[in-house]
Amino acid sequence: MPAPMKVYLAGPEVFLPNGREVIEAKQALTRRYGFEPNVWLGEGEPPPAEPFAFGLYISAANEAVMRDSDLIIANLTPFRGISADIGTAYELGFMCAMGKPAFGYTNDPRGYVERLTGDFYAGKVEADAEGVLRGTDGLMVEDHGMVDNLMVDGGIDRNGGVIVRRRVEPARILDDLGALEECLGIARDRLPG
Amino acid sequence: MPAPMKVYLAGPEVFLPNGREVIEAKQALTRRYGFEPNVWLGEGEPPPAEPFAFGLYISAANEAVMRDSDLIIANLTPFRGISADIGTAYELGFMCAMGKPAFGYTNDPRGYVERLTGDFYAGKVEADAEGVLRGTDGLMVEDHGMVDNLMVDGGIDRNGGVIVRRRVEPARILDDLGALEECLGIARDRLPG
């Protein structure tokens, strides 16, 4: 039996009040689908205490884990705004550059244009003289029928994945794992081993 | 004389009402500092008209240009929220995975924690029982003394770059090029050629 593929589980769970439990639940679910959730085991040395140095340490650790992972599953649920967590977007690009399989999921079933138009511009968008839809600040309202920015959806599509969308109870938007589970099932079916 | 290094100019300028002019101004400035702004020259075939397919086409084009570029300079000015444009974050991760030099700039001189605390939580953050600062929604308020998420700052730091911060007139926050110019000067000084 081959070793299980290693998954980089990207997402903003570390910021949740119940972050540790949610991360452990994600890892357990990942194992149940035959994958190994990849984690940083440390280097023996204690991490630096100074905040900037500590941030660099975590960033380097995450990149090391990504290089050691076979695929990424990214939680793209909007975080502190209308788009996915920006650290997760960076990590998705990082894995896509290496050509590794990439999957995503979101607990907001709406597309980017719906969140932008409805949540950010409160419905106040208008076509300009050339027919381009713009918000009250003049910025273009792009609509590619995608979950988020085209680089996010495009990277996942090109690396063999899908983005699973779910509607969940509002109180569970950042920790419901139903969409992750569906995503793991699809990844298991699509990938070798 | 060696060929100039090719720069991938990442940022949300395409969404601006004056997007074309701003992009051309960025390219002209980049040339003035001895670099070649790298752009997509097309494949001869017309791009697909269907929105999702068109989005994938642009995404693939951007990735092809990134693979052909020697470094990235990313406009990290907050876009539609408290963080950088999510497409730009993806692109930064993409270039950092390839180990290419990465630089950034922002026209908001504040750090992430100041935007998160001031703009997003309107000052309403409190330490929990363990001394961890949290917003009204219970999410952790992280402070690494960084411009944005630690993956963004960490990737740039590790790939030899800096993030230039500027304060500009509010009306020019998305198109002032002073910080880009400073960034180009630093990149020219640090890179060979």
Side-chain angles (χ1 to χ4, degrees):
Chain A
M1 203 172 121
M5 292 182 84
K6 294 185 215 172
V7 182
Y8 187 81
L9 292 166
E13 290 78 14
V14 69
F15 304 118
L16 299 179
N18 56 339
R20 179 176 294 270
E21 295 91 272
V22 177
I23 289 168
E24 285 173 1
K26 288 179 68 171
Q27 293 173 341
L29 199 56
T30 300
R31 284 195 193 91
R32 213 175 308 148
Y33 279 78
F35 295 105
E36 176 62 28
N38 208 357
V39 294
W40 176 242
L41 298 175
E43 279 177 324
E45 297 290 318
E50 191 275 317
F52 191 88
F54 181 67
L56 292 184
Y57 174 90
I58 300 295
S59 156
N62 287 344
E63 291 195 0
V65 176
M66 283 196 282
R67 291 194 188 278
D68 181 54
S69 296
D70 301 304
L71 68 146
I72 181 172
I73 300 182
N75 179 357
L76 300 173
T77 305
F79 184 73
R80 292 177 172 161
I82 57 167
S83 277
D85 168 48
I86 191 171
T88 300
Y90 176 99
E91 292 170 345
L92 183 63
F94 195 94
M95 291 293 276
C96 288
M98 295 188 286
K100 298 194 179 179
F103 295 78
Y105 65 95
T106 171
N107 287 337
D108 184 333
R110 299 175 297 165
Y112 181 73
V113 73
E114 297 165 81
R115 297 193 303 277
L116 179 59
T117 302
D119 294 356
F120 191 77
Y121 288 125
K124 295 197 177 79
V125 299
E126 275 189 21
D128 68 11
E130 277 131 43
V132 176
L133 220 53
R134 296 195 178 272
T136 41
D137 51 8
L139 295 178
M140 185 198 295
V141 173
E142 71 276 26
D143 180 9
H144 300 288
M146 291 182 165
V147 169
D148 211 309
N149 182 286
L150 62 84
M151 297 307 296
V152 169
D153 288 61
I156 288 175
D157 184 87
R158 204 157 30 257
N159 287 281
V162 293
I163 304 179
V164 172
R165 307 188 196 193
R166 282 269 179 118
R167 185 183 304 279
V168 304
E169 274 184 69
R172 303 295 308 279
I173 189 140
L174 287 173
D175 64 6
D176 187 287
L177 301 183
L180 168 61
E181 181 155 14
E182 186 177 338
C183 204
L184 284 162
I186 296 169
R188 183 183 56 186
D189 291 345
R190 292 196 178 187
L191 297 172
Chain B
M1 202 172 124
M5 291 182 84
K6 294 185 213 174
V7 182
Y8 187 80
L9 292 166
E13 290 79 14
V14 69
F15 304 118
L16 299 179
N18 56 341
R20 180 176 293 271
E21 295 90 272
V22 178
I23 289 168
E24 285 173 0
K26 287 179 69 169
Q27 293 173 341
L29 199 55
T30 300
R31 284 195 194 91
R32 211 173 311 148
Y33 279 78
F35 296 106
E36 176 62 27
N38 208 357
V39 294
W40 175 243
L41 298 173
E43 279 177 323
E45 298 289 319
E50 192 273 319
F52 191 88
F54 181 68
L56 292 184
Y57 174 89
I58 300 295
S59 157
N62 286 344
E63 291 196 359
V65 176
M66 284 196 282
R67 290 193 188 281
D68 180 54
S69 296
D70 300 304
L71 68 147
I72 182 171
I73 301 182
N75 178 358
L76 300 172
T77 305
F79 184 74
R80 291 176 172 162
I82 57 166
S83 277
D85 168 49
I86 190 170
T88 300
Y90 176 99
E91 291 170 345
L92 183 63
F94 196 94
M95 291 294 276
C96 287
M98 295 189 286
K100 299 195 179 179
F103 295 78
Y105 65 94
T106 171
N107 287 336
D108 184 333
R110 298 175 297 165
Y112 181 72
V113 73
E114 297 166 79
R115 297 193 302 276
L116 178 59
T117 302
D119 294 356
F120 191 77
Y121 288 126
K124 295 197 178 78
V125 300
E126 276 188 22
D128 68 11
E130 277 131 44
V132 176
L133 219 53
R134 296 194 179 273
T136 40
D137 52 9
L139 295 177
M140 185 198 298
V141 173
E142 71 276 27
D143 180 8
H144 300 288
M146 290 183 166
V147 169
D148 212 310
N149 182 285
L150 62 85
M151 297 307 295
V152 169
D153 288 60
I156 288 175
D157 184 87
R158 205 159 28 258
N159 287 281
V162 293
I163 304 179
V164 173
R165 306 189 197 192
R166 282 268 179 119
R167 185 183 305 278
V168 304
E169 275 183 67
R172 303 295 309 278
I173 189 140
L174 288 173
D175 64 7
D176 187 287
L177 301 183
L180 169 61
E181 181 156 15
E182 186 177 338
C183 204
L184 284 162
I186 296 169
R188 185 184 54 186
D189 292 346
R190 291 196 178 188
L191 297 172

